[in-house]
PDB file of all heavy atoms in Angstrom:
ATOM      1  N   TYR A 101       5.628 -10.004  -8.886  1.00 95.00           N
ATOM      2  CA  TYR A 101       7.043  -9.690  -8.587  1.00 95.00           C
ATOM      3  C   TYR A 101       7.194  -9.398  -7.098  1.00 95.00           C
ATOM      4  O   TYR A 101       6.421  -8.631  -6.520  1.00 95.00           O
ATOM      5  CB  TYR A 101       7.519  -8.484  -9.389  1.00 95.00           C
ATOM      6  CG  TYR A 101       9.008  -8.294  -9.292  1.00 95.00           C
ATOM      7  CD1 TYR A 101       9.882  -9.043 -10.085  1.00 95.00           C
ATOM      8  CD2 TYR A 101       9.557  -7.438  -8.373  1.00 95.00           C
ATOM      9  CE1 TYR A 101      11.238  -8.929  -9.947  1.00 95.00           C
ATOM     10  CE2 TYR A 101      10.928  -7.286  -8.255  1.00 95.00           C
ATOM     11  CZ  TYR A 101      11.788  -8.046  -9.041  1.00 95.00           C
ATOM     12  OH  TYR A 101      13.127  -7.921  -8.921  1.00 95.00           O
ATOM     13  N   TYR A 102       8.179 -10.025  -6.503  1.00 96.00           N
ATOM     14  CA  TYR A 102       8.452  -9.840  -5.063  1.00 96.00           C
ATOM     15  C   TYR A 102       9.939  -9.629  -4.903  1.00 96.00           C
ATOM     16  O   TYR A 102      10.740 -10.286  -5.547  1.00 96.00           O
ATOM     17  CB  TYR A 102       8.065 -11.122  -4.284  1.00 96.00           C
ATOM     18  CG  TYR A 102       6.642 -11.557  -4.583  1.00 96.00           C
ATOM     19  CD1 TYR A 102       6.361 -12.353  -5.681  1.00 96.00           C
ATOM     20  CD2 TYR A 102       5.581 -11.165  -3.767  1.00 96.00           C
ATOM     21  CE1 TYR A 102       5.053 -12.746  -5.981  1.00 96.00           C
ATOM     22  CE2 TYR A 102       4.288 -11.544  -4.031  1.00 96.00           C
ATOM     23  CZ  TYR A 102       4.040 -12.338  -5.126  1.00 96.00           C
ATOM     24  OH  TYR A 102       2.736 -12.698  -5.416  1.00 96.00           O
ATOM     25  N   ASP A 103      10.316  -8.710  -4.056  1.00 95.00           N
ATOM     26  CA  ASP A 103      11.748  -8.535  -3.782  1.00 95.00           C
ATOM     27  C   ASP A 103      11.948  -7.887  -2.410  1.00 95.00           C
ATOM     28  O   ASP A 103      10.999  -7.323  -1.839  1.00 95.00           O
ATOM     29  CB  ASP A 103      12.402  -7.683  -4.859  1.00 95.00           C
ATOM     30  CG  ASP A 103      13.820  -8.151  -5.165  1.00 95.00           C
ATOM     31  OD1 ASP A 103      14.499  -8.665  -4.233  1.00 95.00           O
ATOM     32  OD2 ASP A 103      14.247  -8.029  -6.323  1.00 95.00           O
ATOM     33  N   GLU A 104      13.160  -8.038  -1.906  1.00 96.00           N
ATOM     34  CA  GLU A 104      13.479  -7.515  -0.588  1.00 96.00           C
ATOM     35  C   GLU A 104      13.656  -6.014  -0.593  1.00 96.00           C
ATOM     36  O   GLU A 104      14.321  -5.456  -1.456  1.00 96.00           O
ATOM     37  CB  GLU A 104      14.795  -8.181  -0.084  1.00 96.00           C
ATOM     38  CG  GLU A 104      14.562  -9.630   0.296  1.00 96.00           C
ATOM     39  CD  GLU A 104      15.835 -10.248   0.853  1.00 96.00           C
ATOM     40  OE1 GLU A 104      16.942  -9.698   0.635  1.00 96.00           O
ATOM     41  OE2 GLU A 104      15.708 -11.308   1.495  1.00 96.00           O
ATOM     42  N   VAL A 105      13.022  -5.385   0.392  1.00 97.00           N
ATOM     43  CA  VAL A 105      13.087  -3.928   0.545  1.00 97.00           C
ATOM     44  C   VAL A 105      13.460  -3.609   1.994  1.00 97.00           C
ATOM     45  O   VAL A 105      13.001  -4.294   2.907  1.00 97.00           O
ATOM     46  CB  VAL A 105      11.719  -3.283   0.183  1.00 97.00           C
ATOM     47  CG1 VAL A 105      11.735  -1.788   0.420  1.00 97.00           C
ATOM     48  CG2 VAL A 105      11.342  -3.593  -1.257  1.00 97.00           C
ATOM     49  N   GLU A 106      14.289  -2.589   2.159  1.00 97.00           N
ATOM     50  CA  GLU A 106      14.704  -2.168   3.501  1.00 97.00           C
ATOM     51  C   GLU A 106      13.825  -0.982   3.946  1.00 97.00           C
ATOM     52  O   GLU A 106      13.644  -0.040   3.186  1.00 97.00           O
ATOM     53  CB  GLU A 106      16.169  -1.746   3.454  1.00 97.00           C
ATOM     54  CG  GLU A 106      16.781  -1.537   4.821  1.00 97.00           C
ATOM     55  CD  GLU A 106      18.256  -1.151   4.696  1.00 97.00           C
ATOM     56  OE1 GLU A 106      19.109  -2.036   4.610  1.00 97.00           O
ATOM     57  OE2 GLU A 106      18.543   0.061   4.727  1.00 97.00           O
ATOM     58  N   ARG A 107      13.299  -1.086   5.171  1.00 98.00           N
ATOM     59  CA  ARG A 107      12.461  -0.022   5.708  1.00 98.00           C
ATOM     60  C   ARG A 107      12.743   0.132   7.198  1.00 98.00           C
ATOM     61  O   ARG A 107      13.357  -0.730   7.816  1.00 98.00           O
ATOM     62  CB  ARG A 107      10.979  -0.334   5.513  1.00 98.00           C
ATOM     63  CG  ARG A 107      10.554  -0.471   4.067  1.00 98.00           C
ATOM     64  CD  ARG A 107       9.068  -0.419   3.936  1.00 98.00           C
ATOM     65  NE  ARG A 107       8.632  -0.685   2.573  1.00 98.00           N
ATOM     66  CZ  ARG A 107       8.455   0.236   1.656  1.00 98.00           C
ATOM     67  NH1 ARG A 107       8.642   1.519   1.922  1.00 98.00           N
ATOM     68  NH2 ARG A 107       8.039  -0.082   0.400  1.00 98.00           N
ATOM     69  N   ALA A 108      12.180   1.221   7.786  1.00 98.00           N
ATOM     70  CA  ALA A 108      12.276   1.386   9.236  1.00 98.00           C
ATOM     71  C   ALA A 108      11.515   0.270   9.925  1.00 98.00           C
ATOM     72  O   ALA A 108      10.450  -0.153   9.476  1.00 98.00           O
ATOM     73  CB  ALA A 108      11.689   2.736   9.637  1.00 98.00           C
ATOM     74  N   ALA A 109      12.087  -0.204  11.048  1.00 98.00           N
ATOM     75  CA  ALA A 109      11.507  -1.338  11.767  1.00 98.00           C
ATOM     76  C   ALA A 109      10.352  -0.896  12.693  1.00 98.00           C
ATOM     77  O   ALA A 109       9.482  -1.692  13.056  1.00 98.00           O
ATOM     78  CB  ALA A 109      12.569  -2.047  12.598  1.00 98.00           C
ATOM     79  N   HIS A 110      10.379   0.371  13.045  1.00 98.00           N
ATOM     80  CA  HIS A 110       9.407   0.904  14.020  1.00 98.00           C
ATOM     81  C   HIS A 110       8.982   2.310  13.562  1.00 98.00           C
ATOM     82  O   HIS A 110       9.830   3.131  13.204  1.00 98.00           O
ATOM     83  CB  HIS A 110      10.070   0.967  15.387  1.00 98.00           C
ATOM     84  CG  HIS A 110       9.356   1.840  16.368  1.00 98.00           C
ATOM     85  ND1 HIS A 110       9.813   3.103  16.712  1.00 98.00           N
ATOM     86  CD2 HIS A 110       8.201   1.668  17.058  1.00 98.00           C
ATOM     87  CE1 HIS A 110       8.991   3.656  17.601  1.00 98.00           C
ATOM     88  NE2 HIS A 110       7.995   2.805  17.818  1.00 98.00           N
ATOM     89  N   ILE A 111       7.691   2.541  13.514  1.00 99.00           N
ATOM     90  CA  ILE A 111       7.224   3.871  13.130  1.00 99.00           C
ATOM     91  C   ILE A 111       6.134   4.330  14.081  1.00 99.00           C
ATOM     92  O   ILE A 111       5.418   3.518  14.687  1.00 99.00           O
ATOM     93  CB  ILE A 111       6.683   3.928  11.668  1.00 99.00           C
ATOM     94  CG1 ILE A 111       5.544   2.909  11.477  1.00 99.00           C
ATOM     95  CG2 ILE A 111       7.759   3.724  10.665  1.00 99.00           C
ATOM     96  CD1 ILE A 111       4.786   3.097  10.171  1.00 99.00           C
ATOM     97  N   LYS A 112       6.027   5.632  14.178  1.00 99.00           N
ATOM     98  CA  LYS A 112       4.865   6.245  14.881  1.00 99.00           C
ATOM     99  C   LYS A 112       4.197   7.166  13.884  1.00 99.00           C
ATOM    100  O   LYS A 112       4.874   7.997  13.267  1.00 99.00           O
ATOM    101  CB  LYS A 112       5.342   7.026  16.112  1.00 99.00           C
ATOM    102  CG  LYS A 112       4.204   7.629  16.911  1.00 99.00           C
ATOM    103  CD  LYS A 112       4.768   8.318  18.157  1.00 99.00           C
ATOM    104  CE  LYS A 112       3.651   8.942  18.968  1.00 99.00           C
ATOM    105  NZ  LYS A 112       4.199   9.642  20.146  1.00 99.00           N
TER     106      LYS A 112
END
Side-chain angles (χ1 to χ4, degrees):
Y101 190 82
Y102 308 84
D103 217 328
E104 287 183 342
V105 176
E106 191 179 275
R107 298 195 186 269
H110 162 256
I111 57 168
K112 182 177 180 182

